[in-house]
Amino acid sequence: MKEITASELETRLRSGEKLSLIDVREPDEWADGHIKEAVSMPLSVFVERLGELNGFEEPLYLMCRSGNRSSRACDYLEAQGYEVVNVLGGMLSWPGEVVTGE
């Protein structure tokens, strides 16, 4: 599985690069602060919502709080044939701005 640091991701987003960024944290974590460009797809309902990924351009960048849950989601998606990138350190390492609320 490919990996990227939160700082590298922030640099790419700041430069205007369009990335398919999926946040697998739960709704309360999302509401506490998330990246504006991210889409919320909690790990607890991930498999049920898998079909929604068909509209996303690959690779899919996955993140969570620390990088552990997103790593598991990456493993799962990779086994399904998706091209994925795990964001190391997750939101704990995110140096950029965050948006709060839903």
Side-chain angles (χ1 to χ4, degrees):
M1 148 189 14
K2 294 180 184 172
E3 297 176 319
I4 188 173
T5 66
S7 294
E8 290 169 326
L9 176 66
E10 197 261 348
T11 299
R12 292 174 70 177
L13 289 171
R14 201 168 4 118
S15 72
E17 194 171 334
K18 299 290 184 218
L19 303 173
S20 297
L21 178 59
I22 299 162
D23 189 322
V24 300
R25 296 175 302 149
E26 295 306 309
D28 60 322
E29 296 173 288
W30 169 267
D32 286 343
H34 58 272
I35 300 168
K36 159 179 83 168
E37 295 86 354
V39 173
S40 176
M41 192 175 289
L43 200 56
S44 60
V45 295
F46 199 77
V47 175
E48 294 86 17
R49 293 182 57 188
L50 204 56
E52 294 175 32
L53 297 178
N54 293 336
F56 289 82
E57 191 171 318
E58 294 183 44
L60 304 173
Y61 291 79
L62 279 80
M63 75 178 315
C64 62
R65 181 177 163 273
S66 67
N68 291 329
R69 285 176 283 177
S70 56
S71 176
R72 290 199 320 260
C74 282
D75 287 342
Y76 177 79
L77 288 176
E78 215 167 38
Q80 307 302 312
Y82 288 92
E83 183 183 352
V84 295
V85 179
N86 187 38
V87 180
L88 295 170
M91 288 301 290
L92 290 176
S93 300
W94 178 249
E97 295 182 27
V98 296
V99 178
T100 56
E102 295 180 27

